[in-house]
Amino acid sequence: MRGRYWRLVALGLVVGSVAGAQGRTGSGDASRLSAGIEARTLKNGLKIIVWPDHDIPNVALFNWFRVGSRNERPGITGLSHFFEHMMFNGAKKYGPGQFDAVMEAAGGSNNAYTSEDVTVYMDWFPRSALETIFDLEADRLANLAFDPKVIESERGVVYSERRSAVDNDNSGALMEQMQATAFVAHPYQFPVIGWPSDIESWRMEDLQRFFKTYYAPNNATLVVVGAVTPAEIFALAEKHLGPIPSQPAPEPVRTQEPEQQGERRIVVRRLAQSPLLQMAWQGMNAKDPDMPALELLLRVLAEGESSRLHRRLVEEEQVAIGVNSHFGQGFDPSLVWLLADLPPGGELAKVEKLFEEELAKVRAQGVTDAELRKAKNITVAEFWRGLETNSQRAQLLGSYEVFQGDWRKLFDAPARYEHVTREQVRKVATRIFNANRRTVGMLIPTDEEQAPEGQRKEAGQ
């Protein structure tokens, strides 16, 4: 996001309580909610999806571009994140500072985020500002300014963001090294925020070529949710965004990560008070049929204080102060992560041994009926809470359209989770938690800063 970058984003759902979700597939509610949603593709290739809901007179507009760090290469890493920032820095009609000022004057607000796979620009505003918002969006897409002074200023902002999120953050620094180690061929190895030397050396021609290629209407999906009608949104899009020409389709990412043939290990030594342990396995893409079972498995293992790993490592053995998990749901298979924060002086080897013991159990025995039921309850309850706001609807509808290829699959999600069996969870544990396909990273505290000098200097120096 502006001010920080969103590293692993796809179909994530918010966390909440579990009451009332048991046994409910929600098929009737889904049918009612999806009624009225319409989609259309303009002649320039821009796809538009409209979800009318007139409960409140507000609107969420999310513009999804299929560009992230997977579309970069050595020398231009971090460019998609850079354009996340640049899109707010002035165009032909609305100059520097005007995008935010005009939107706020109309009662709106905005943000954006970048991941390995997508960059998403988000506007929230009253319906009275509809025409203004479309005018703003069209101006920056058709006429984005490439002022060298603004570019250098924003380069410094991005570099500062990198220092905060990675260079001065032990967990972020270890995770970046893990990602670069776990992938040897696929561009998922690149940090979303970019390598320091690349941030310092992007050239004007790099920026112009990248923008023209990826920020074209035929590489975007516009999702509008709220107090609107499909007809008025299609008309506004045709008027403001229709004249923007399409571009040749971006070159597809053809690289596939070769099969990992053995465990990889890294050790990072940094100024720190406490050790960190991170483990990552080669995972699956968003369309993989095992994805629902994997989501439920990770909830059983590492979500909440009643999860297996929290009970064993934090409460019983008291060797860690926190455990967590996450995984990316992208266009290509990404990583499944388990992470542990240790107390000062904590024993990394002991935590790793306990991790492996718990993973061996789940590979051999799977999960219990009660654990699976709880995981389903949480997941389905979160799904419905995620549809309470215009913003979350725009996020989820866009996610399913972009990553699953059809927004309609959003409404089948509860049934997919309900149909997962204990045997499917055990099989996915065996598939993922294979020692030959994992990368293990340890951060060992030191008394002195070990970061290379180049990572501490200012951009442009």
Side-chain angles (χ1 to χ4, degrees), residues 124-425:
W124 305 278
F125 52 91
R127 69 153 283 120
S128 59
L130 264 176
E131 183 99 30
T132 299
I133 302 305
F134 271 88
D135 199 35
L136 285 164
E137 290 292 348
D139 186 42
R140 66 178 178 177
L141 288 178
N143 307 300
L144 185 68
F146 286 82
D147 184 327
K149 291 183 179 178
V150 174
I151 290 171
E152 289 312 306
S153 173
E154 204 59 48
R155 192 195 302 266
V157 171
V158 169
Y159 207 97
S160 175
E161 192 172 331
R162 184 193 153 81
R163 284 197 300 275
S164 173
V166 180
D167 298 334
N168 295 326
D169 183 285
N170 287 332
S171 181
L174 179 59
M175 189 169 287
E176 181 178 84
Q177 293 297 308
M178 287 279 289
Q179 192 93 6
T181 303
F183 292 102
V184 298
H186 193 278
Y188 278 162
Q189 67 185 267
F190 304 139
V192 173
I193 203 164
W195 292 114
S197 61
D198 291 350
I199 296 173
E200 294 168 6
S201 60
W202 298 320
R203 298 170 300 185
M204 178 66 81
E205 55 266 38
D206 296 326
L207 273 60
Q208 292 174 331
R209 186 184 306 113
F210 197 82
F211 182 79
K212 184 176 182 180
T213 301
Y214 292 106
Y215 298 84
N218 49 307
N219 200 42
T221 298
L222 184 70
V223 180
V224 182
V225 180
V228 299
T229 66
E232 67 180 334
I233 295 302
F234 296 148
L236 284 167
E238 190 69 63
K239 174 183 175 182
H240 292 278
L241 303 172
I244 302 174
S246 61
Q247 299 295 328
E251 184 74 12
V253 175
R254 296 189 297 270
T255 302
Q256 296 182 14
E257 182 67 15
E259 181 72 19
Q260 187 171 336
Q261 298 179 351
E263 180 185 87
R264 298 169 188 158
R265 283 183 174 264
I266 62 169
V267 173
V268 172
R269 299 179 189 277
R270 289 173 58 95
L271 181 65
Q273 292 184 325
S274 304
L276 300 174
L277 176 66
Q278 297 181 355
M279 305 175 78
W281 292 258
Q282 297 291 336
M284 57 186 71
N285 63 31
K287 289 185 176 180
D288 194 294
D290 278 344
M291 186 58 79
L294 175 61
E295 289 184 63
L296 297 174
L297 170 62
L298 292 179
R299 287 191 187 278
V300 171
L301 285 175
E303 182 172 311
E305 296 184 358
S306 61
S307 66
R308 286 192 180 191
L309 291 172
H310 181 93
R311 292 201 314 268
R312 182 80 189 277
L313 275 72
V314 178
E315 296 182 3
E316 296 173 11
E317 304 286 347
Q318 298 184 0
V319 295
I321 57 176
V323 296
N324 203 350
S325 70
H326 64 190
F327 59 99
Q329 299 192 55
F331 297 129
D332 300 312
S334 54
L335 298 178
V336 177
W337 297 75
L338 290 176
L339 309 98
D341 295 340
L342 279 63
E347 300 178 54
L348 284 162
K350 185 170 185 179
V351 173
E352 183 182 350
K353 179 175 178 293
L354 293 175
F355 260 137
E356 183 46 46
E357 286 181 6
E358 291 300 319
L359 296 181
K361 287 180 187 175
V362 80
R363 286 195 300 266
Q365 303 165 14
V367 300
T368 67
D369 285 331
E371 287 175 324
L372 183 57
R373 183 67 264 161
K374 186 188 76 169
K376 290 181 178 180
N377 288 347
I378 295 172
T379 303
V380 175
E382 288 180 358
F383 173 85
W384 292 114
R385 271 194 297 279
L387 296 182
E388 288 180 343
T389 67
N390 291 338
S391 184
Q392 278 293 321
R393 290 181 182 189
Q395 170 66 25
L396 289 170
L397 203 65
S399 293
Y400 276 81
E401 174 64 25
V402 171
F403 289 103
Q404 301 286 343
D406 189 345
W407 58 266
R408 297 171 186 82
K409 293 182 180 180
L410 167 65
F411 300 102
D412 297 330
R416 285 197 294 274
Y417 293 116
E418 288 292 345
H419 291 156
V420 173
T421 66
R422 287 177 54 198
E423 180 59 14
Q424 287 173 315
V425 173

Side-chain angles (χ1 to χ4, degrees), residues 170 267-272 442-446 448-451:
N170 287 332
V267 173
V268 172
R269 299 179 189 277
R270 289 173 58 95
L271 181 65
M442 297 181 177
L443 186 140
I444 298 177
T446 66
E448 297 181 358
E449 179 59 74
Q450 300 292 311

